[in-house]
Structures are given as structure tokens and as C-alpha cells.
Amino acid sequence: MEQKAKHFRKRDAILTCLRQTKAHPSADWVYAQLKPDIPDLSLGTVYRNLALFKEQGLIISLGTVKGVERFDGDTHSHVHFICTDCGAVQDIEGMPRLPGLLTAAEKDLGGQVHGCHITLTGLCRNCTDSDKEETV
């Protein structure tokens, strides 16, 4: 029974860690955050649970950014921005809703759309500013 409680304690800690950050972390980041408080946590446990959470729809994968898979504990439909230079990932709050996007998609598909995740790419403010400084 104690083994089962430990198993769920780790799983719960991983999910809580993801849901409490806006960092859009990697598995390594989650592991580094939790390891001091859970010394017997393994990176494999983090990866297995992230895969399970993705499968269950509890988190989303943003795909790979600079060769590392990144995750988001916020599963509501929202827009992300990924900097193609430094790899920063951020939510874009307050984006106008694209009127009729889901309705048009449902009409085209002949089915139902339950959510939408849009990712914009480009240069973040820091990388844009550093590009300006280099050209001066």
C-alpha cells in the first residue's frame, strides 16, 4: 500500500509542477524542480508520467523546441509563441478569437472540433532587440 501511495505522490507532484508554471517546461526541467523534494524520483518516471498525462489529455505537448520536447499544463485553447532564435515559449494572452474558426473547421471536416492550439513563431522581444544592437 505504501508503494502505491509513493507512486501516486510522484505522479501528482509531476502534474502539479506542470500546472503551476508558465515556463512550458521540458521533462528535464520538471525533474530538476522535483528532485530536491523527491530524492528517489527518476527521469524515467517523469518521462513515463508525461506520456501518460498527454495520452489522458491532462497536458499538451508543444512539440520540440531546439531539440527538446516542451509541455504545457494549461490545456484550454490558447495561443503560444515560440522564438526561433532563443527557443523561448510563451502564452499570448488576450489574442482576439478567430471568429468562426472552429465552426468553419467543423463544416469542412463534417465532424466536431473540441479545441484548438495555435503556435506562432518568430523572434521574441529580447532577440529582436539584440539583432538591432548588432546592426548598429
Side-chain angles (χ1 to χ4, degrees):
M1 183 72 166
E2 187 176 317
Q3 186 67 17
K4 203 175 235 187
K6 278 186 176 182
H7 176 71
F8 289 115
R9 182 176 63 91
K10 291 175 187 177
R11 181 172 290 169
D12 291 344
I14 293 166
L15 186 57
T16 298
C17 181
L18 276 167
R19 289 196 168 154
Q20 291 181 341
T21 184
K22 291 281 191 184
H24 304 90
S26 66
D28 289 330
W29 186 92
V30 172
Y31 174 75
Q33 296 300 305
L34 297 176
K35 185 69 173 171
D37 294 327
I38 309 172
D40 62 336
L41 181 68
S42 72
L43 187 55
T45 296
V46 173
Y47 275 107
R48 281 189 298 280
N49 280 284
L50 291 175
L52 175 68
F53 296 151
K54 267 191 334 187
E55 185 179 304
Q56 294 174 336
L58 298 174
I59 65 171
I60 58 172
S61 171
L62 301 175
T64 56
V65 177
K66 298 237 174 229
V68 177
E69 187 173 14
R70 304 280 289 274
F71 300 93
D72 193 346
D74 180 358
T75 60
H76 84 279
S77 296
H78 62 287
V79 178
H80 289 103
F81 176 82
I82 300 175
C83 180
T84 54
D85 191 24
C86 71
V89 180
Q90 61 191 74
D91 293 331
I92 302 178
E93 302 295 338
M95 284 290 294
R97 303 247 183 248
L98 299 175
L101 176 65
L102 299 183
T103 303
E106 287 180 342
K107 183 179 177 184
D108 188 54
L109 294 168
Q112 294 180 353
V113 176
H114 295 148
C116 176
H117 299 279
I118 297 173
T119 302
L120 305 173
T121 59
L123 293 177
C124 69
R125 181 173 298 165
N126 290 338
C127 291
T128 301
D129 289 347
S130 68
D131 280 353
K132 286 179 187 175
E133 289 172 11
E134 290 174 10
T135 59
V136 175

